Amino acid sequence: MKLSQKSTKLWVANVLMALILVSFQACNSHSDQSETENALEQTGDSVETDAQQAAADFQQERDEVVADLEHQQEELDQEIEQLKAKIKGQSAKTSAALKRQLADLDNEHRDLAKDIDIAKNATEDAWQEIKAGFKKAGRTLGNSFEDAGEQLKNQ
């Protein structure tokens, strides 16, 4: 069967139209895929930036807590030195009470040194729990300072 020239042109036109539609669909599919990839990439960048900011915030907070603990350690060192000096000039009875206070402060000093090491080596995951423990320890240490200060004033 021989096709007429008009039928051949119509057939060629239909084939070309079909090819154009297929090409157009492929381009749209590729474009949608590129948009999706771009959106995922931007989301990944955002998550990475948020994670970097959280890590920087954690490190800053940890550094501040370590600095505060080291400052408390310096104050405790001064308190211990004052108490040692005070013990030298006291009677045996008063000296015994001050020595007990000094032993308590020495224990606090060792605990504080451990806390500083823990804080310096803390991971971001464990930080909230560690920080809560430091707050409690800070209150205990503050009470020890007050007690030692009262002992020094009363002697």
Side-chain angles (χ1 to χ4, degrees), residues 43-57:
T43 301
D45 291 347
S46 176
V47 169
E48 186 176 326
T49 300
D50 291 346
Q52 289 171 344
Q53 184 61 46
D57 291 345

Side-chain angles (χ1 to χ4, degrees), residues 48-128:
E48 186 176 326
T49 300
D50 291 346
Q52 289 171 344
Q53 184 61 46
D57 291 345
F58 156 70
Q59 289 175 349
Q60 180 181 355
E61 183 178 29
R62 183 182 63 189
D63 292 345
E64 289 171 1
V65 168
V66 167
D68 184 51
L69 291 171
E70 288 173 339
H71 177 73
Q72 289 178 12
Q73 189 177 36
E74 290 170 7
E75 289 178 350
L76 185 57
D77 288 341
Q78 291 172 357
E79 192 75 32
I80 288 170
E81 290 306 312
Q82 289 176 356
L83 196 54
K84 284 179 180 178
K86 184 79 172 179
I87 289 173
K88 290 181 182 178
Q90 299 298 318
S91 67
K93 182 180 175 184
T94 303
S95 178
L98 290 175
K99 284 181 181 179
R100 282 192 299 276
Q101 186 69 36
L102 180 61
D104 290 343
L105 289 175
D106 282 336
N107 287 335
E108 291 289 332
H109 189 273
R110 277 191 298 281
D111 291 345
L112 187 56
K114 288 177 189 175
D115 287 345
I116 291 170
D117 285 339
I118 290 169
K120 284 180 178 179
N121 297 308
T123 64
E124 191 171 354
D125 293 336
W127 181 246
Q128 294 305 319

